[in-house]
Amino acid sequence: MKKKLVSVLLTAAMVATMAVGCGGGSSDSGSSDSDGGGSGKEMTYWSMWNSTEAQAKVIQEAADAYEEETGIHINIEWKGRDMKTLIGTALEAGEDIDLFDDDYMRVVMNTKDYLVDLSTLEGEEEFEGHVMPVILDKAKSWGDGTLYTVPYQVYTTGVWYDKAMFEEAGVTDVPTTWDEFLDVCQKVKDAGYNPLTCNSDSVNLLYGFQLARYIGQDAVLDCFNNSNWANVPEAKKAAEDIATLVDNGYFSPNAPAQYPDGQNEIGFGESCMVLNASWIPNEILQNTGEEVDFGFFPWPSVEGGVDGAEASMVGAQGFGINKESDMQQEAFDFATMIATGDYDLEMASSVNSIPADTDNTEWPDAIAAAEPYFKEMTKAYDWAVGLETNPDFTPIINENVVKLIQGDITPDDFIAALAAAQ
């Protein structure tokens, strides 16, 4: 059964004269063998997903329906999470890419110079009416008021935990303050579990959240952009707090583990909590086959801090359309097809994500524990509270947070390393 497109029924796509995109081949290109359907036209899309993931299955289904509707074949190259390191170089080199996706902040912040202003495309105003205001406002803020990305698969961020472990440890209430959080960690440890686990590629969330609880995101970004690490006492204090978790044995002995080994410890019954986004329950289920009953709470507030449960990382994945593409309208129509209506609902139910379309209001059960907090959120942090907005410096922060969690450096060493590197 065909699903309807939200934008203008692809009127422009059906009548415009387009050049055929070439697109490089890929061993993981699930759609590269088609002859282009009835039109002979082909669109090249680089995807952040692997072909075996549930997101890919929904996208492939949409691509097949799109081809049936328009005769335009979509050549999908499944790049996986390497997309964030591949796409900038590929666009700069002039690769024949019509459409790509990644975290919506990275799409705009790192590749804006290569993107189409979506307001120039037919159906963009109608599409904006389907986007959550908090998502639309953030996306436009990075583009100085212009929308350059089609957001989909919305997420929120906080601590996901195994409810059964909390119950066994005698934890009856989720922590709201740092001291309460430390108390919960000790109870979980006493019950025989690792209180915290993490992946090495997401440790910037830990440091970013803790620092932002003290000084807020704007001050974190000022510290980040102006190399004020040694001049902001809270920067060292946040590092000391993470060191406290290390010294008390609250991290898994494997932390930080390579993705996805760290988060998988929850599915295997070894660790209890992980700070990450709302895709975590689905990824753990897919990787371990274990259906964990997940609870959720926002990262705790700190004494003397400025932010609490009202502030969280919220965002989405996002499609970007290459301004050099001859199929801009068609790429937009396909992207909005996935981000709205039936396919948005199918994506949410298939991967336990927050629906992106405001017309789709029901959250999957696996992430329902986060919904009450999401509705009360008034401050939207960027991913890693902005610590990943500089692709040159982000790896340095990541490297040193990893060392901090491994106990290889002190908080003083941590601050010195950041200050010296920037």
Side-chain angles (χ1 to χ4, degrees), residues 159-177 179-195 250 272-273 293 295-297 373:
V159 180
W160 299 90
Y161 68 91
D162 185 332
K163 288 182 179 179
M165 289 186 188
F166 264 32
E167 183 176 355
E168 186 176 341
V171 178
T172 56
D173 297 306
V174 297
T176 59
T177 68
D179 287 342
E180 290 173 356
F181 180 63
L182 294 177
D183 181 61
V184 167
C185 287
Q186 186 61 51
K187 288 180 178 179
V188 172
K189 182 181 178 182
D190 291 342
Y193 302 108
N194 304 316
Y250 294 156
C272 181
M273 295 180 280
D293 186 9
F296 175 91
F297 60 88
Y373 298 102

Side-chain angles (χ1 to χ4, degrees), residues 231-307:
N231 302 318
V232 177
E234 293 86 356
K236 179 181 175 182
K237 177 59 178 170
E240 290 173 341
D241 291 340
I242 293 177
T244 295
L245 298 174
V246 176
D247 294 342
N248 289 342
Y250 294 156
F251 279 108
S252 163
N254 303 314
Q258 290 294 312
Y259 170 86
D261 295 342
Q263 66 194 46
N264 286 351
E265 290 180 0
I266 297 179
F268 293 133
E270 300 165 358
S271 296
C272 181
M273 295 180 280
V274 62
L275 172 64
N276 214 305
S278 45
W279 53 69
I280 281 291
N282 182 71
E283 288 190 350
I284 291 175
L285 172 62
Q286 295 298 316
N287 293 333
T288 69
E290 297 296 330
E291 294 190 14
V292 178
D293 186 9
F294 277 101
F296 175 91
F297 60 88
W299 191 250
S301 61
V302 298
E303 186 176 358
V306 300
D307 283 347

Side-chain angles (χ1 to χ4, degrees), residues 74-190:
I74 301 177
N75 172 39
I76 307 177
E77 299 195 18
W78 306 105
K79 300 297 184 180
R81 303 310 184 272
D82 290 338
M83 175 65 75
K84 61 185 177 183
T85 60
L86 295 174
I87 190 61
T89 302
L91 292 171
E92 184 177 1
E95 288 265 9
D96 289 318
I97 302 167
D98 299 295
L99 180 70
F100 67 93
D101 57 2
D102 193 6
D103 179 89
Y104 81 144
M105 183 179 78
R106 283 197 295 265
V107 167
V108 181
M109 297 289 283
N110 295 347
T111 64
K112 183 172 67 174
D113 291 345
Y114 302 97
L115 301 180
V116 173
D117 172 355
L118 299 185
S119 68
T120 64
L121 303 178
E122 192 170 358
E124 187 271 348
E125 185 175 352
E126 178 188 354
F127 170 67
E128 284 195 16
H130 290 265
V131 185
M132 291 180 184
V134 66
I135 298 296
L136 184 63
D137 291 346
K138 290 297 289 185
K140 284 189 171 183
S141 72
W142 301 315
D144 298 322
T146 297
L147 186 64
Y148 287 99
T149 184
V150 174
Y152 76 103
Q153 198 190 31
V154 172
Y155 63 79
T156 190
T157 311
V159 180
W160 299 90
Y161 68 91
D162 185 332
K163 288 182 179 179
M165 289 186 188
F166 264 32
E167 183 176 355
E168 186 176 341
V171 178
T172 56
D173 297 306
V174 297
T176 59
T177 68
W178 184 249
D179 287 342
E180 290 173 356
F181 180 63
L182 294 177
D183 181 61
V184 167
C185 287
Q186 186 61 51
K187 288 180 178 179
V188 172
K189 182 181 178 182
D190 291 342

